[in-house]
């Protein structure tokens, strides 16, 4: 049965199904053990993370782009596009903090402080996720490359020196 | 606060933390320039300067004072296990039967042991009293968020990798078994923390961290993808707007004659004149 699934669409369905199913299972377990959860608060935290990460990542990419500009590069669209994305993300972040969505304190004077806290937390999460991905894919790479391979029979052949020239 | 920090104004997080982070981005941009570009020479010194600034800034951290030093405290706390896992994976890969393996084959089991020791090291930190830098306040939140994100990520990625290896490959039972074991260990630690807590943080504390920080970081992951998508979209638009190159007029008779002369002269076509 599996051989029919190799490389097909249903294979990817299994892979993504596992990923999503496990994520839901962890959430349900944590929900069951924690008791009451405010879904709107969870959603607003996720939205806050999304807009802040959009603003910060677009700003970082804008810095990289500006510092790499050279004469032959078509950079105008790239700079404008990233500036719009960064501006959008950071403006929405400021608006969410000012309005008290997803943050413990609100107000214009707290925008920078809350953005700093959020930015540091995102870097923390990014570091943890990259470490996890490095560990899993590193081990997988070591296992896959460590498989004993049969020698290529073509390499055993010796040249006769006859190239069919008449 | 040390004298060095005070002299260079590194007590301010904007100068001590966020400025070096921005300078690292600029160093990455310089690195992407052409090899003959003068900016390329400044890439490594700028990156080193940024890392040194971060180290000086975080040098006297106790972790629970402000968010940036808490982050550096948490990063420092896991530096040992992370380096152990990284080196273990590299040793295991390059001591295998692959043709690029320059290390002795006897080292291969030690590579796997080192990688597994890294995750075990993180597990043992949950059974001990934490140091001051992550015992309370923001330091504790940073540390527990790191642990929670790491365990959840290992569980999800390892389980997905196990399914991928099972479905896509041939004779991959060993790979599937190890990936599934890794996912099971992470899941078991996660479940233990949710049910019993650790030495310094109760189960409710871990669940609070899960529900407050994990949605934020998950949203951040999608935000990061959106930022990269914005870059790809802007490059796509730039490429679409690139004008077609002008159609070059065919060679005139004089130009043809000139080219023929040059070819004849240099390739000796048609013999000596």
């Amino acid at each position: 049965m599996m051989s029919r699934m190799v490389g097909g669409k249903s294979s990817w369905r299994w892979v993504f199904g596992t990923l999503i199913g496990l994520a839901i299972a962890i959430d349900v377990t944590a929900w069951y053990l924690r008791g009451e959860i405010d879904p709107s608060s969870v959603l607003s935290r996720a939205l806050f993370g999304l807009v802040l990460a959009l603003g910060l990542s677009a700003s970082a990419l804008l810095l990289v782009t500006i510092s790499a500009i050279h004469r032959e590069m078509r950079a105008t669209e790239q700079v404008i596009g990233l500036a719009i994305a960064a501006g959008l993300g950071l403006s929405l972040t400021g608006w969410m903090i000012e309005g008290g969505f997803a943050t413990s304190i609100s107000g214009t004077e707290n925008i920078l402080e809350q953005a700093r806290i959020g930015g540091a937390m995102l870097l923390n999460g990014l570091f943890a996720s990259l470490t996890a991905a490095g560990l899993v894919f590193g081990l997988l790479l070591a296992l896959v490359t460590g498989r004993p391979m049969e020698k290529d029979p073509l390499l055993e052949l010796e040249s006769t020196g006859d190239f069919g020239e008449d | 606060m040390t004298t060095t920090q005070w002299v260079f104004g590194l007590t301010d997080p904007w100068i001590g933390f966020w400025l070096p982070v921005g300078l690292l981005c600029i160093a990455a941009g310089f690195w992407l320039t052409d090899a003959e570009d003068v900016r390329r020479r400044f890439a490594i010194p700028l990156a080193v300067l940024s890392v040194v600034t971060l180290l000086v800034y975080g040098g006297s951290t106790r972790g629970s004072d402000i968010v940036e030093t808490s982050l550096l405290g948490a990063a420092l706390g896991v530096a040992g296990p992370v380096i152990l896992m990284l080196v273990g994976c590299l040793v295991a890969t390059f001591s295998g039967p692959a043709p690029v393996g320059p290390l002795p084959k006897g080292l291969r089991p030690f590579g796997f042991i080192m990688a597994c020791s890294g995750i075990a090291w993180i597990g043992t930190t949950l059974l001990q009293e934490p140091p001051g830098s992550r015992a309370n306040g923001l330091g504790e939140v940073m540390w527990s968020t790191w642990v929670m994100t790491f365990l959840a990520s290992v569980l999800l990625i390892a389980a997905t990798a196990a399914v991928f290896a099972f479905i896509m490959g041939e004779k991959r039972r060993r790979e599937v078994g190890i990936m599934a074991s890794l996912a099971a260990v992470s899941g078991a630690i996660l479940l233990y923390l949710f049910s019993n807590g650790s030495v310094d943080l109760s189960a409710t504390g871990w669940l609070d961290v899960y529900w407050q920080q994990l949605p934020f970081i998950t949203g951040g992951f999608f935000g990061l993808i959106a930022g990269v998508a914005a870059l790809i979209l802007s490059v796509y638009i730039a490429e679409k707007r690139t004008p077609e190159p002008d159609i070059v007029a065919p060679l005139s008779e004089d130009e043809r004659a000139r080219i023929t002369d040059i070819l004849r002269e240099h390739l000796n076509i048609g013999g000596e004149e």
Side-chain angles (χ1 to χ4, degrees):
Chain A
M1 188 182 76
M2 282 301 164
S3 60
R4 270 188 286 128
M5 291 165 60
V6 171
K9 277 183 184 174
S10 56
S11 311
W12 289 106
R13 213 172 289 157
W14 273 97
V15 172
F16 288 115
T18 307
L19 184 68
I20 293 165
L22 262 176
I24 292 171
I26 300 172
D27 277 351
V28 169
T29 309
W31 195 338
Y32 173 74
L33 292 168
R34 178 68 177 81
E36 55 190 51
I37 298 293
D38 179 11
S40 64
S41 144
V42 171
L43 192 66
S44 59
R45 288 287 296 165
L47 269 177
F48 181 50
L50 193 150
V51 294
L52 181 59
L54 170 66
L56 291 179
S57 57
S59 303
L61 288 168
L62 183 63
L63 266 181
V64 173
T65 302
I66 289 172
S67 52
I69 285 177
H70 53 88
R71 204 182 301 159
E72 288 82 20
M73 183 177 171
R74 282 185 63 86
T76 315
E77 291 87 350
Q78 201 170 320
V79 168
I80 291 172
L82 286 171
I84 290 171
L88 182 73
L90 295 176
S91 306
L92 284 172
T93 303
W95 176 72
M96 285 185 85
I97 294 171
E98 201 175 7
F101 295 106
T103 51
S104 51
I105 47 175
S106 59
T108 315
E109 67 278 10
N110 293 312
I111 289 178
L112 281 179
E113 192 191 338
Q114 289 295 310
R116 258 180 53 212
I117 294 172
M121 193 58 80
L122 285 176
L123 285 177
N124 189 28
L126 186 67
F127 177 39
S129 311
L130 287 178
T131 306
L135 171 70
V136 174
F137 290 125
L139 276 177
L140 196 60
L141 179 72
L143 288 166
V144 171
T145 55
R147 300 179 86 194
M149 305 286 282
E150 285 178 18
K151 279 190 177 174
D152 189 344
L154 288 175
L155 294 174
E156 301 293 316
L157 298 176
E158 287 185 10
S159 170
T160 58
D162 179 8
F163 297 103
E165 291 172 359
D166 294 325
Chain B
M1 183 197 314
T2 63
T3 312
T4 319
Q5 285 178 318
W6 187 80
V7 168
F8 291 102
L10 296 183
T11 50
D12 185 349
W14 291 107
I15 297 173
F17 185 84
W18 294 105
L19 179 65
V21 170
L23 287 177
L24 275 175
C25 294
I26 293 173
F30 284 177
W31 181 254
L32 292 172
T33 55
D34 190 73
E36 289 171 8
D37 196 309
V38 71
R39 288 172 293 177
R40 185 79 180 263
R41 289 185 211 153
F42 293 104
I44 292 176
L46 199 57
V48 171
L49 177 72
S50 308
V51 173
V52 169
T53 310
L54 282 171
L55 289 175
V56 172
Y57 173 69
S60 65
T61 177
R62 294 271 44 91
S64 55
D65 32 11
I66 57 171
V67 66
E68 289 84 2
T69 52
S70 304
L71 171 62
L72 290 172
L76 200 65
V78 294
V82 169
I83 291 170
L84 197 64
M85 288 187 278
L86 180 74
V87 174
C89 288
L90 288 175
V91 168
T93 302
F94 288 103
S95 55
V100 289
L103 295 174
K105 288 192 176 173
L107 286 177
R108 191 167 162 79
F110 293 105
F112 284 111
I113 291 170
M114 282 169 79
C116 295
S117 302
I119 197 168
W121 189 348
I122 291 171
T124 54
T125 56
L126 301 170
L127 305 172
Q128 301 163 352
E129 280 292 336
S133 64
R134 46 177 201 258
N136 45 47
L138 273 171
E140 186 180 47
V141 175
M142 266 307 164
W143 162 246
S144 47
T145 304
W146 193 94
V147 172
M148 193 62 76
T149 311
F150 175 75
L151 290 173
S153 302
V154 169
L155 171 57
L156 293 175
I157 299 171
T160 310
V163 173
F164 182 83
F166 181 67
I167 292 175
M168 303 289 188
E170 294 286 330
K171 297 178 187 170
R172 299 240 187 253
R173 281 187 190 158
R174 198 165 63 120
E175 288 84 351
V176 172
I178 291 175
M179 287 296 112
S181 308
L182 197 61
V185 168
S186 301
I189 298 175
L190 204 59
L191 194 61
Y192 181 83
L193 292 175
F194 283 163
S195 318
N196 303 304
S198 61
V199 171
D200 63 317
L201 195 60
S202 66
T204 315
W206 282 103
L207 284 162
D208 282 346
V209 166
Y210 181 85
W211 283 114
Q212 281 172 15
Q213 304 304 338
L214 264 283
F216 178 69
I217 288 169
T218 309
F221 176 71
F222 287 105
L224 184 68
I225 293 174
V228 175
L231 172 71
I232 294 169
L233 185 68
S234 55
V235 171
Y236 173 75
I237 292 170
E239 290 296 324
K240 285 277 280 184
R241 291 188 64 209
T242 307
E244 292 283 332
D246 293 334
I247 296 168
V248 181
L251 295 174
S252 63
E253 285 302 319
D254 287 347
E255 286 167 337
R256 278 172 194 253
R258 174 76 184 129
I259 289 168
T260 310
D261 285 347
I262 291 170
L263 288 174
R264 192 170 289 148
E265 186 182 333
H266 289 280
L267 301 176
N268 208 17
I269 297 170
E272 296 288 332
E273 286 188 339

